[in-house]
Amino acid sequence: MRSTFGGLEIAKRSLFTHQTALTTTGHNIANANTKGYSRQLVNMVAAKPLENIGMMRSTIPGQQGQSVEVHSVTRIRESFLDKQFYNENKSLGQWTKRLDTLEKLEAIINEPSETGMRQVLDNFWNSWQELSMAPDNLEARAIVKESSLALADAFNHAARQLSDLKRDLTDNIDVKVTEVNTLLGQVATLNQEIYRIEGFGNNANDLRDQRDNLIDQLSGVINVTVVEEEQGYTVRMGELPLVNGYEATPFTLATAQGHYAENGTGNLNNGELFGLYYSRDKLVTEYQNQLDALVTTLATNVNAEHQKGYTLKHPVTTGGDVFVFAAVDPDDPNPPSFAERLRVSASITDDVENIAASARTYNDNGVTRVVRGNNEQALALAGLRNVKYSFDGGGIEKIILNGGTFDEFLRAVVGEMGVQTQEAQRQAINQQILVEQVDSRRASVSGVSLDEEMSNMIKFQHAYNAAARALTTYDEMLDKVINGMGVVGR
């Protein structure tokens, strides 16, 4: 005999199941704009049926269905697209940082422009040319002094900006190391929480979304590989384990520095952190070296030529140094560069008569005197602008140009910077497009479509209403059985 109350149980299970589906649909709609949220799906299965009652086997055909049940609530996520996103996002992080640094370097060098370093250098050479027209004129000499001071100040300012940029990159590295360490700790904590919840047979969908969102952030800072194991995500940077189950390896500045290699062969070989290290240790350092090579070559050769001439002083005095370098504190672990220490000699700033513009002397009744109107030395100094030099820079490994003039050297530096910036822009734009493409594909799989959710809501609502109507019908039937049967004809 069939159960009298079986219909009520069937309708009740249907009500509960479709109520869960409606709740999940509402949860999806509520998180339609939540970053990293994956839409969730209620998986329904038919409840296990019952055999009809009998001593051996019922002769009634078929089984008695027992309604519907929620088998699970799962999130829609494709791990393959996640891994693609991690791979593209790390390169985007690196090139973004490199581009940002190169754009700042372009602003520091400020070339080509009418107020840049080349203009100041041209003014310096022009001042010697002007002095050659009136070598004994103190006003012309004052212009040489001021143009020398302006040139030294331009180099000092550019060098200080490069040093400031380097310190800024170091501070950013500290911030990124702290960020990585925080993210790794959060991933390990979520691993433990997800394992605990899913140990009871539930799906920790929202916590899994949070964990994946953390990995998305992490993939932009460092290169990571992620493998899901029994106790959660195992996260590595190259061959270096960072998260293993519930344990996160402390990520320190020493860890990052120890695994960085400029050629990308270290465990840290991509991401924002790699880009910051590369920008600081390669790009900025390289341009500091180029600037130092220019400054030391300029100071050495200008001084050497100036020492060949004679000042206006009597008795006859040969010229001294035009440029000198400030002393370095031997205890300073990061001493300033040559360009930052460039100064104009005090002998020239104190007395412009110490500028050597003449190359000739004469004998005046046994007394040697300077030919004050001679301009040969001033012309020789002005002519240094066209001389080709070997820019060794005091042993610097890479010099961008050897065998060129000062202007050619500066133009070569600016040209190389322009090419590097253009390449960084191209790479950053390409990576941005790739990241957006992969993220768009992820969104098409995991994202919430409001149209689809509204359609599901209507579908589940109708099913819920039908189950409620079935429950009412069963109730009316039982009311008839209980209150109406057996009283007919009384």
Side-chain angles (χ1 to χ4, degrees):
M1 179 179 179
R2 298 182 184 275
S3 170
T4 305
F5 297 94
L8 289 176
E9 181 64 21
I10 291 173
K12 184 200 74 173
R13 289 185 179 183
S14 178
L15 285 172
F16 287 172
T17 298
H18 288 95
Q19 185 179 30
T20 300
L22 283 168
T23 302
T24 303
T25 301
H27 184 56
N28 286 339
I29 293 171
N31 288 279
N33 297 312
T34 301
K35 182 176 176 60
Y37 178 80
S38 303
R39 65 188 177 95
Q40 297 178 12
L41 178 67
V42 175
N43 299 306
M44 303 180 190
V45 296
K48 186 177 181 179
L50 293 178
E51 293 283 350
N52 289 303
I53 300 172
M55 292 295 293
M56 296 292 292
R57 181 184 180 280
S58 174
T59 57
I60 301 174
Q63 295 177 319
Q64 180 66 55
Q66 295 299 301
S67 191
V68 65
E69 292 178 344
V70 175
H71 178 264
S72 62
V73 180
T74 56
R75 63 180 192 141
I76 307 301
R77 192 88 177 190
E78 191 170 334
S79 60
F80 173 73
L81 293 177
D82 285 335
K83 291 178 181 178
Q84 275 193 322
F85 181 85
Y86 304 153
N87 287 331
E88 302 300 343
N89 198 34
K90 65 184 180 184
S91 295
L92 174 62
Q94 179 200 166
W95 285 107
T96 299
K97 292 303 179 185
R98 287 171 66 167
L99 175 60
D100 180 66
T101 300
L102 286 165
E103 288 176 343
K104 290 177 180 177
L105 285 170
E106 284 189 326
I108 291 172
I109 301 301
N110 192 26
E111 290 291 348
S113 72
E114 296 181 358
T115 58
M117 201 172 294
R118 286 179 61 196
Q119 184 61 50
V120 179
L121 190 58
D122 283 343
N123 292 340
F124 174 73
W125 301 125
N126 291 337
S127 68
W128 287 102
Q129 190 71 41
E130 293 292 329
L131 179 60
S132 70
M133 298 178 185
D136 59 346
N137 185 285
L138 295 182
E139 183 179 346
R141 289 170 174 265
I143 293 174
V144 171
K145 181 190 78 170
E146 293 302 325
S147 65
S148 301
L149 288 169
L151 181 62
D153 184 64
F155 283 126
N156 294 163
H157 182 64
R160 282 193 295 270
Q161 286 184 306
L162 289 174
S163 297
D164 290 341
L165 177 57
K166 208 167 191 178
R167 282 190 290 270
D168 181 57
L169 290 169
T170 299
D171 291 339
N172 283 339
I173 288 172
D174 292 339
V175 171
K176 289 300 176 181
V177 167
T178 302
E179 181 182 347
V180 169
N181 201 45
T182 301
L183 291 172
L184 293 175
Q186 291 175 339
V187 169
T189 301
L190 284 171
N191 276 346
Q192 185 174 11
E193 188 67 14
I194 291 170
Y195 183 78
R196 183 187 66 82
I197 291 173
E198 295 188 347
F200 295 110
N202 300 314
N203 289 328
N205 295 319
D206 293 325
L207 293 181
R208 282 179 170 271
D209 284 343
Q210 291 179 30
R211 186 175 62 181
D212 286 336
N213 196 33
L214 292 175
I215 298 296
D216 283 354
Q217 296 177 49
L218 192 62
S219 69
V221 183
I222 59 175
N223 52 291
V224 293
T225 54
V226 180
V227 177
E228 185 167 9
E229 298 180 352
E230 183 180 354
Q231 292 187 330
Y233 281 173
T234 295
V235 182
R236 292 179 176 273
M237 182 182 73
E239 299 299 323
L240 178 67
L242 299 178
V243 176
N244 188 8
Y246 315 148
E247 298 295 328
T249 303
F251 193 85
T252 63
L253 196 59
T255 303
Q257 182 69 56
H259 291 275
Y260 164 77
E262 185 181 295
N263 58 6
T265 57
N267 286 321
L268 175 60
N269 54 42
N270 220 326
E272 291 181 357
L273 191 55
F274 178 85
L276 289 170
Y277 271 117
Y278 187 89
S279 297
R280 186 192 69 178
D281 298 343
K282 173 69 173 175
L283 297 178
V284 178
T285 299
E286 182 178 296
Y287 285 106
Q288 282 181 319
N289 292 342
Q290 305 298 338
L291 193 60
D292 277 356
L294 175 61
V295 166
T296 54
T297 305
L298 176 70
T300 299
N301 289 278
V302 168
N303 288 344
E305 190 63 41
H306 188 257
Q307 291 166 7
K308 297 176 183 178
Y310 301 101
T311 69
L312 294 180
K313 295 294 184 181
H314 185 77
V316 174
T317 305
T318 57
D321 289 338
V322 177
F323 296 109
V324 295
F325 293 99
V328 177
D329 182 359
D331 298 326
D332 188 352
N334 298 304
S337 63
F338 285 105
E340 196 169 345
R341 294 188 287 116
L342 183 68
R343 304 287 186 270
V344 178
S345 172
S347 64
I348 291 178
T349 57
D350 293 343
D351 189 350
V352 294
E353 288 190 355
N354 287 322
I355 295 175
S358 175
R360 293 185 179 274
T361 61
Y362 68 96
N363 188 295
D364 182 14
N365 296 322
V367 178
T368 302
R369 297 184 184 277
V370 176
V371 180
R372 297 172 65 92
N374 182 267
N375 66 354
E376 291 179 15
Q377 202 57 46
L379 285 173
L381 283 159
L384 293 180
R385 73 194 305 172
N386 299 318
V387 178
K388 295 183 183 295
Y389 293 99
S390 176
F391 296 88
D392 59 8
I396 295 170
E397 291 183 7
K398 179 192 174 186
I399 295 300
I400 191 171
L401 179 68
N402 272 320
T405 65
F406 293 112
D407 186 65
E408 288 172 343
F409 182 88
L410 196 53
R411 283 191 284 121
V413 170
V414 174
E416 181 184 49
M417 187 180 298
V419 171
Q420 289 178 332
T421 304
Q422 188 177 36
E423 174 64 10
Q425 287 175 336
R426 185 185 69 82
Q427 293 282 9
I429 291 172
N430 288 347
Q431 284 304 130
Q432 183 66 47
I433 292 172
L434 289 172
V435 168
E436 289 176 355
Q437 284 179 344
V438 175
D439 201 35
S440 177
R441 290 170 61 191
R442 285 203 309 179
S444 67
V445 174
S446 303
V448 175
S449 168
L450 292 178
D451 291 338
E452 182 181 355
E453 297 303 324
M454 293 302 294
S455 175
N456 287 338
M457 182 181 293
I458 294 171
K459 178 175 66 176
F460 297 142
Q461 180 187 12
H462 286 324
Y464 184 90
N465 291 340
R469 180 59 186 161
L471 186 64
T472 301
T473 301
Y474 290 130
D475 180 64
E476 291 174 352
M477 290 169 60
L478 288 171
D479 178 66
K480 188 65 176 177
V481 170
I482 296 170
N483 297 314
M485 291 178 67
V487 297
V488 178
R490 290 184 182 178

